[in-house]
Amino acid sequence: MAPTPQPLARKIVKGVLALEVAGLAGMYLLFHRMNSNQDFRYTMRKRFPLILEVYYKSNEWSGIHGIRERDEEKWLNDKN
């Protein structure tokens, strides 16, 4: 006997909500790690430069300036 549509729809909605919560938690953890660890930002620069650009832009939009400049200065000094 096939399940009725209503319980199936509830399961689908619960699954979608669980995925959204997991995605938000993952994004928060990624942002927190990038916000607190300059070496991790350097790794992100090498592997996922678009994500690092979104991090810099979101901080600039919220009024926090200078993170990009400090990172570039440190990475340039470490290179020399």
Side-chain angles (χ1 to χ4, degrees):
M1 187 162 161
T4 59
Q6 194 173 20
L8 181 61
R10 284 185 180 171
K11 286 182 181 180
I12 291 172
V13 169
K14 284 181 182 180
V16 169
L17 286 175
L19 285 173
E20 286 184 6
V21 169
L24 285 173
M27 290 180 66
Y28 172 76
L29 291 173
L30 178 65
F31 179 83
H32 178 69
R33 184 142 185 223
M34 284 198 307
N35 204 33
S36 61
N37 190 338
Q38 192 175 38
D39 292 331
F40 184 70
R41 285 195 300 269
Y42 183 73
T43 301
M44 293 299 289
R45 177 185 179 203
K46 294 294 182 187
R47 293 185 182 170
F48 306 105
L50 184 61
I51 294 174
L52 184 63
E53 183 64 27
V54 169
Y55 167 77
Y56 287 142
K57 288 288 185 187
S58 67
N59 277 319
E60 290 168 0
W61 287 338
S62 66
I64 302 169
H65 299 282
I67 296 173
R68 179 192 315 254
E69 292 79 12
R70 284 192 303 265
D71 286 349
E72 289 174 357
E73 182 180 338
K74 181 184 184 293
W75 299 332
L76 184 63
N77 288 338
D78 287 351
K79 218 176 201 182
N80 294 331

